[in-house]
Amino acid sequence: MDTPSEDGEPLPPQLMFLKRLVTGLAVVMIAGFLVLIAALVIRLNRPLITLPDQIALPAGAEAQAFTQGADWFAVVTTDDRILIYDRASGALRQTVTVD
């Protein structure tokens, strides 16, 4: 059955198809946007990675950068050293000197 246009005449079949296509696209876009928002909410509500409250740097060392792995984290110092710490205990695991 044809839907009447504003002036009361029925719409041609091609325009009805186009109208349904545009409506379907709008529904898919809204659903995709809602899925995107849900994914962001789920991702941002994950627990943060736990780190020790304090990190004991060697005397005279000043932190310049920070990076982390699965069970470790590292602090790059201004005197060209990389200090690798254990994530669970916070103890210094290894020191790497950068040449």
Side-chain angles (χ1 to χ4, degrees):
M1 180 170 172
D2 290 338
T3 304
S5 62
E6 291 179 6
D7 57 358
E9 294 182 20
L11 291 175
Q14 295 88 357
L15 284 180
M16 284 301 299
F17 174 72
L18 184 61
K19 183 177 176 181
R20 288 188 185 112
L21 198 63
V22 169
T23 303
L25 178 62
V27 169
V28 168
M29 285 177 46
I30 291 170
F33 185 71
L34 292 175
V35 167
L36 179 66
I37 296 297
L40 282 172
V41 167
I42 290 169
R43 173 100 169 132
L44 294 176
N45 281 336
R46 287 188 333 180
L48 297 175
I49 296 173
T50 57
L51 293 173
D53 292 334
Q54 294 182 353
I55 300 171
L57 295 176
E62 185 179 331
Q64 182 178 14
F66 172 83
T67 190
Q68 55 190 343
D71 63 340
W72 58 269
F73 60 91
V75 176
V76 180
T77 62
T78 55
D79 57 352
D80 295 328
R81 288 186 292 167
I82 302 171
L83 308 172
I84 302 172
Y85 292 88
D86 186 61
R87 183 181 299 279
S89 66
L92 183 62
R93 245 198 228 181
Q94 183 179 0
T95 301
V96 179
T97 304
V98 180
D99 294 330

